[in-house]
PDB file of all heavy atoms in Angstrom:
ATOM      1  N   GLN A  76      90.201 104.865  94.741  1.00 97.00           N
ATOM      2  CA  GLN A  76      89.557 105.312  95.975  1.00 97.00           C
ATOM      3  C   GLN A  76      90.201 104.685  97.197  1.00 97.00           C
ATOM      4  O   GLN A  76      90.409 105.349  98.221  1.00 97.00           O
ATOM      5  CB  GLN A  76      88.068 104.961  95.940  1.00 97.00           C
ATOM      6  CG  GLN A  76      87.310 105.285  97.228  1.00 97.00           C
ATOM      7  CD  GLN A  76      87.326 106.764  97.576  1.00 97.00           C
ATOM      8  OE1 GLN A  76      87.287 107.612  96.684  1.00 97.00           O
ATOM      9  NE2 GLN A  76      87.388 107.080  98.858  1.00 97.00           N
ATOM     10  N   VAL A  77      90.542 103.416  97.122  1.00 98.00           N
ATOM     11  CA  VAL A  77      91.064 102.699  98.291  1.00 98.00           C
ATOM     12  C   VAL A  77      92.553 102.970  98.502  1.00 98.00           C
ATOM     13  O   VAL A  77      92.998 103.169  99.633  1.00 98.00           O
ATOM     14  CB  VAL A  77      90.790 101.191  98.157  1.00 98.00           C
ATOM     15  CG1 VAL A  77      91.479 100.400  99.262  1.00 98.00           C
ATOM     16  CG2 VAL A  77      89.282 100.933  98.193  1.00 98.00           C
ATOM     17  N   PHE A  78      93.337 102.982  97.441  1.00 98.00           N
ATOM     18  CA  PHE A  78      94.791 103.071  97.587  1.00 98.00           C
ATOM     19  C   PHE A  78      95.343 104.491  97.489  1.00 98.00           C
ATOM     20  O   PHE A  78      96.242 104.866  98.235  1.00 98.00           O
ATOM     21  CB  PHE A  78      95.484 102.217  96.521  1.00 98.00           C
ATOM     22  CG  PHE A  78      95.293 100.739  96.662  1.00 98.00           C
ATOM     23  CD1 PHE A  78      95.380  99.912  95.552  1.00 98.00           C
ATOM     24  CD2 PHE A  78      95.029 100.161  97.893  1.00 98.00           C
ATOM     25  CE1 PHE A  78      95.205  98.541  95.674  1.00 98.00           C
ATOM     26  CE2 PHE A  78      94.852  98.792  98.027  1.00 98.00           C
ATOM     27  CZ  PHE A  78      94.940  97.973  96.904  1.00 98.00           C
ATOM     28  N   ALA A  79      94.855 105.273  96.552  1.00 97.00           N
ATOM     29  CA  ALA A  79      95.548 106.511  96.190  1.00 97.00           C
ATOM     30  C   ALA A  79      94.904 107.789  96.699  1.00 97.00           C
ATOM     31  O   ALA A  79      95.609 108.757  96.991  1.00 97.00           O
ATOM     32  CB  ALA A  79      95.680 106.593  94.664  1.00 97.00           C
ATOM     33  N   ALA A  80      93.573 107.820  96.810  1.00 96.00           N
ATOM     34  CA  ALA A  80      92.878 109.085  97.055  1.00 96.00           C
ATOM     35  C   ALA A  80      93.365 109.791  98.309  1.00 96.00           C
ATOM     36  O   ALA A  80      93.521 111.020  98.326  1.00 96.00           O
ATOM     37  CB  ALA A  80      91.370 108.847  97.131  1.00 96.00           C
ATOM     38  N   GLU A  81      93.620 109.043  99.378  1.00 97.00           N
ATOM     39  CA  GLU A  81      93.987 109.690 100.638  1.00 97.00           C
ATOM     40  C   GLU A  81      95.332 110.407 100.562  1.00 97.00           C
ATOM     41  O   GLU A  81      95.588 111.333 101.342  1.00 97.00           O
ATOM     42  CB  GLU A  81      94.020 108.671 101.772  1.00 97.00           C
ATOM     43  CG  GLU A  81      95.137 107.649 101.691  1.00 97.00           C
ATOM     44  CD  GLU A  81      95.217 106.770 102.932  1.00 97.00           C
ATOM     45  OE1 GLU A  81      94.543 107.080 103.919  1.00 97.00           O
ATOM     46  OE2 GLU A  81      95.968 105.783 102.901  1.00 97.00           O
ATOM     47  N   PHE A  82      96.196 110.028  99.624  1.00 97.00           N
ATOM     48  CA  PHE A  82      97.525 110.625  99.562  1.00 97.00           C
ATOM     49  C   PHE A  82      97.535 112.004  98.907  1.00 97.00           C
ATOM     50  O   PHE A  82      98.581 112.650  98.843  1.00 97.00           O
ATOM     51  CB  PHE A  82      98.500 109.672  98.870  1.00 97.00           C
ATOM     52  CG  PHE A  82      98.759 108.432  99.680  1.00 97.00           C
ATOM     53  CD1 PHE A  82      98.273 107.205  99.276  1.00 97.00           C
ATOM     54  CD2 PHE A  82      99.455 108.515 100.874  1.00 97.00           C
ATOM     55  CE1 PHE A  82      98.494 106.067 100.033  1.00 97.00           C
ATOM     56  CE2 PHE A  82      99.679 107.381 101.645  1.00 97.00           C
ATOM     57  CZ  PHE A  82      99.204 106.152 101.227  1.00 97.00           C
ATOM     58  N   SER A  83      96.377 112.466  98.444  1.00 96.00           N
ATOM     59  CA  SER A  83      96.265 113.863  98.017  1.00 96.00           C
ATOM     60  C   SER A  83      95.761 114.728  99.163  1.00 96.00           C
ATOM     61  O   SER A  83      95.353 115.868  98.958  1.00 96.00           O
ATOM     62  CB  SER A  83      95.328 113.983  96.808  1.00 96.00           C
ATOM     63  OG  SER A  83      94.013 113.579  97.147  1.00 96.00           O
ATOM     64  N   SER A  84      95.819 114.199 100.389  1.00 96.00           N
ATOM     65  CA  SER A  84      95.350 114.918 101.575  1.00 96.00           C
ATOM     66  C   SER A  84      96.324 114.682 102.726  1.00 96.00           C
ATOM     67  O   SER A  84      97.361 114.040 102.569  1.00 96.00           O
ATOM     68  CB  SER A  84      93.960 114.409 101.975  1.00 96.00           C
ATOM     69  OG  SER A  84      94.051 113.100 102.552  1.00 96.00           O
ATOM     70  N   GLU A  85      95.946 115.190 103.900  1.00 97.00           N
ATOM     71  CA  GLU A  85      96.773 114.994 105.093  1.00 97.00           C
ATOM     72  C   GLU A  85      96.258 113.869 105.979  1.00 97.00           C
ATOM     73  O   GLU A  85      96.746 113.680 107.092  1.00 97.00           O
ATOM     74  CB  GLU A  85      96.870 116.316 105.868  1.00 97.00           C
ATOM     75  CG  GLU A  85      97.513 117.409 105.034  1.00 97.00           C
ATOM     76  CD  GLU A  85      97.822 118.684 105.817  1.00 97.00           C
ATOM     77  OE1 GLU A  85      98.107 118.606 107.025  1.00 97.00           O
ATOM     78  OE2 GLU A  85      97.790 119.764 105.190  1.00 97.00           O
ATOM     79  N   VAL A  86      95.291 113.100 105.482  1.00 98.00           N
ATOM     80  CA  VAL A  86      94.751 111.984 106.266  1.00 98.00           C
ATOM     81  C   VAL A  86      95.829 110.981 106.658  1.00 98.00           C
ATOM     82  O   VAL A  86      95.870 110.539 107.817  1.00 98.00           O
ATOM     83  CB  VAL A  86      93.595 111.302 105.506  1.00 98.00           C
ATOM     84  CG1 VAL A  86      93.237 109.961 106.144  1.00 98.00           C
ATOM     85  CG2 VAL A  86      92.373 112.203 105.488  1.00 98.00           C
ATOM     86  N   PRO A  87      96.736 110.564 105.755  1.00 98.00           N
ATOM     87  CA  PRO A  87      97.753 109.596 106.182  1.00 98.00           C
ATOM     88  C   PRO A  87      98.604 110.087 107.352  1.00 98.00           C
ATOM     89  O   PRO A  87      99.008 109.290 108.211  1.00 98.00           O
ATOM     90  CB  PRO A  87      98.603 109.397 104.921  1.00 98.00           C
ATOM     91  CG  PRO A  87      97.689 109.733 103.798  1.00 98.00           C
ATOM     92  CD  PRO A  87      96.835 110.861 104.314  1.00 98.00           C
ATOM     93  N   LEU A  88      98.884 111.383 107.387  1.00 97.00           N
ATOM     94  CA  LEU A  88      99.675 111.933 108.497  1.00 97.00           C
ATOM     95  C   LEU A  88      98.935 111.809 109.808  1.00 97.00           C
ATOM     96  O   LEU A  88      99.475 111.365 110.826  1.00 97.00           O
ATOM     97  CB  LEU A  88      99.979 113.415 108.254  1.00 97.00           C
ATOM     98  CG  LEU A  88     100.636 113.844 106.962  1.00 97.00           C
ATOM     99  CD1 LEU A  88     100.832 115.348 106.980  1.00 97.00           C
ATOM    100  CD2 LEU A  88     101.962 113.150 106.770  1.00 97.00           C
ATOM    101  N   THR A  89      97.669 112.221 109.796  1.00 98.00           N
ATOM    102  CA  THR A  89      96.904 112.256 111.037  1.00 98.00           C
ATOM    103  C   THR A  89      96.536 110.863 111.509  1.00 98.00           C
ATOM    104  O   THR A  89      96.463 110.611 112.714  1.00 98.00           O
ATOM    105  CB  THR A  89      95.635 113.105 110.863  1.00 98.00           C
ATOM    106  OG1 THR A  89      94.843 112.568 109.802  1.00 98.00           O
ATOM    107  CG2 THR A  89      95.992 114.550 110.535  1.00 98.00           C
ATOM    108  N   ALA A  90      96.324 109.944 110.584  1.00 98.00           N
ATOM    109  CA  ALA A  90      95.899 108.599 110.957  1.00 98.00           C
ATOM    110  C   ALA A  90      97.057 107.722 111.404  1.00 98.00           C
ATOM    111  O   ALA A  90      96.872 106.854 112.265  1.00 98.00           O
ATOM    112  CB  ALA A  90      95.167 107.936 109.792  1.00 98.00           C
ATOM    113  N   THR A  91      98.252 107.929 110.841  1.00 98.00           N
ATOM    114  CA  THR A  91      99.297 106.925 111.050  1.00 98.00           C
ATOM    115  C   THR A  91     100.639 107.443 111.544  1.00 98.00           C
ATOM    116  O   THR A  91     101.469 106.645 111.963  1.00 98.00           O
ATOM    117  CB  THR A  91      99.543 106.144 109.747  1.00 98.00           C
ATOM    118  OG1 THR A  91     100.032 107.041 108.748  1.00 98.00           O
ATOM    119  CG2 THR A  91      98.281 105.470 109.258  1.00 98.00           C
TER     120      THR A  91
END
Side-chain angles (χ1 to χ4, degrees):
Q76 176 61 35
V77 172
F78 293 154
E81 69 173 350
F82 293 110
S83 63
S84 73
E85 299 188 31
V86 167
L88 306 180
T89 58
T91 63

